[in-house]
Amino acid sequence: LKCKSKKLLVCQRCKKAYYCSAECQKKQWRENGHKLHCRKDGEFKAEDLVQIARLKNKPELNDKIVRVVGPDKNNEGRYEVRMEGSVKGDKSFSIAAGNLNQLRPYDCRK
């Protein structure tokens, strides 16, 4: 698909993907995985890779990449996460949604 337009359109849901046309957007949605990974700001799902940010009590964890296990069942607005690359059985920990940055898990240029 050759893009001719110089004005880019932005995904209205995640605001992280850009497209040159509606045709290109549809192709990315279906064929290149945008549908699987598109999230509203602050929305996380199990298995998402996210970046820890803005921690004051443990600043050494800022910028670390973690995998979302799921919502913390005991604390609303928090998610259970596990360090990426850890082995099964490693401890997970809870972190507030405001301390997680979404990552762009696909390359829309494919």
Side-chain angles (χ1 to χ4, degrees):
L1 183 64
K2 291 261 186 182
C3 295
K4 295 176 184 171
S5 174
K6 293 189 190 263
K7 182 180 178 187
L8 295 176
L9 307 171
V10 65
C11 175
Q12 292 301 300
R13 185 175 193 194
C14 70
K15 312 277 193 251
K16 290 184 173 126
Y18 294 88
Y19 308 102
C20 60
S21 66
E23 181 183 0
C24 184
Q25 181 179 16
K26 288 174 187 173
K27 181 178 188 250
Q28 295 300 327
W29 186 257
R30 288 188 309 266
E31 297 175 23
N32 294 341
H34 187 87
K35 182 178 182 176
L36 296 173
H37 302 289
C38 185
R39 309 272 188 274
K40 292 179 184 176
D41 193 36
E43 177 185 7
F44 305 101
K45 293 185 180 179
E47 298 301 316
D48 283 355
L49 285 173
V50 295
Q51 180 183 45
I52 297 175
R54 300 172 293 281
L55 285 181
K56 292 180 183 166
N57 62 339
K58 290 196 175 187
E60 67 275 11
L61 292 177
N62 287 331
D63 299 323
K64 299 289 184 195
I65 305 299
V66 294
R67 189 168 296 276
V68 175
V69 176
D72 184 331
K73 295 175 182 136
N74 300 317
N75 298 295
E76 190 173 332
R78 297 180 69 89
Y79 287 86
E80 183 182 352
V81 298
R82 182 171 285 121
M83 295 299 268
E84 184 60 7
S86 60
V87 295
K88 193 170 183 170
D90 279 358
K91 290 185 178 181
S92 60
F93 56 97
S94 176
I95 190 164
N99 292 109
L100 297 174
N101 288 335
Q102 295 167 320
L103 298 177
R104 189 169 154 181
Y106 57 90
D107 185 350
C108 67
R109 296 169 293 176
K110 290 180 181 179

